[in-house]
Amino acid sequence: MNPVETYIRDLRDIRSSGQAVKETSFYGALERLLNEIGKTLKPKVRCVINIKNRGAGIPDGGLFTPDQLQKGSAAEPAPGQIPARGVIEIKGTREDAWAVADGEQVSRYWGKYRQVLVSNYRDFVLVGRDAEGKLSKLESYRLAQSESEFWAAAAHPRAVAEKHGERFVEYLRRVMLHAA
């Protein structure tokens, strides 16, 4: 199955359980999507959710390359490693990802990691360095204009994948390769 279709189906199924928390319940779906796409890159990129505080707070996730992972474990970063491909800040689908990208938390993460992928599961904003080395929103991707439009579309995962699949996957590849 297409990784975008799987991602949307996972989000829909988690939400339809009636037990989801607006932000954290969906972490696994985004982690699976990023890891599926990260497997196709050279070097591979692995998403690890809830990484340790390295002095700027606790990002919701980090994007690591194989040389940063402990031998014998595909999931655990080696001690002291800062994610080579940046960190992730995730909010619930109602939040405005662009406003979050302008916030103090993302600014703090950017100061430490130099690349932050901000997401509300439907919008994705890459925060990195501009030509002068200053914090800048570099590129974004939107799956739906609003939370209600997103959840209506999520009722049809295959249609979302057909509409966005290739472009969305290419966007996420660029994000994971940007800091390379």
Side-chain angles (χ1 to χ4, degrees), residues 27 30-32 34-35 38 44-54 57-66 68-69 74-77 81-90 109 113 115-117 175-176:
Y27 281 179
L30 183 57
E31 178 183 27
R32 284 185 291 280
L34 293 171
N35 283 335
K44 294 177 181 175
V45 175
R46 174 123 181 119
C47 174
V48 176
I49 294 295
N50 294 324
I51 63 172
K52 293 179 181 178
N53 184 343
R54 298 282 183 231
I58 302 173
D60 294 319
L63 298 169
F64 295 87
T65 54
Q68 297 186 287
L69 301 174
E76 284 295 317
Q81 292 289 318
I82 291 177
R85 303 301 169 87
V87 296
I88 306 164
E89 178 54 30
I90 308 167
Y109 291 160
Y113 302 104
Q115 182 169 302
V116 183
L117 177 61
V175 166
M176 290 188 269

Side-chain angles (χ1 to χ4, degrees), residues 56-141:
I58 302 173
D60 294 319
L63 298 169
F64 295 87
T65 54
D67 60 309
Q68 297 186 287
L69 301 174
Q70 293 182 39
K71 302 294 184 231
S73 172
E76 284 295 317
Q81 292 289 318
I82 291 177
R85 303 301 169 87
V87 296
I88 306 164
E89 178 54 30
I90 308 167
K91 298 296 184 194
T93 55
R94 182 168 292 170
E95 301 289 324
D96 180 338
W98 280 265
V100 173
D102 285 333
E104 182 274 331
Q105 183 180 30
V106 169
S107 180
R108 199 170 5 100
Y109 291 160
W110 179 83
K112 180 73 175 178
Y113 302 104
R114 294 297 192 227
Q115 182 169 302
V116 183
L117 177 61
V118 179
S119 178
N120 60 7
Y121 298 105
R122 62 184 172 84
D123 295 321
F124 296 79
V125 181
L126 177 61
V127 177
R129 284 187 263 196
D130 65 13
E132 289 83 41
K134 296 179 183 172
L135 181 145
S136 180
K137 294 177 195 158
L138 302 176
E139 189 179 3
S140 63
Y141 195 92

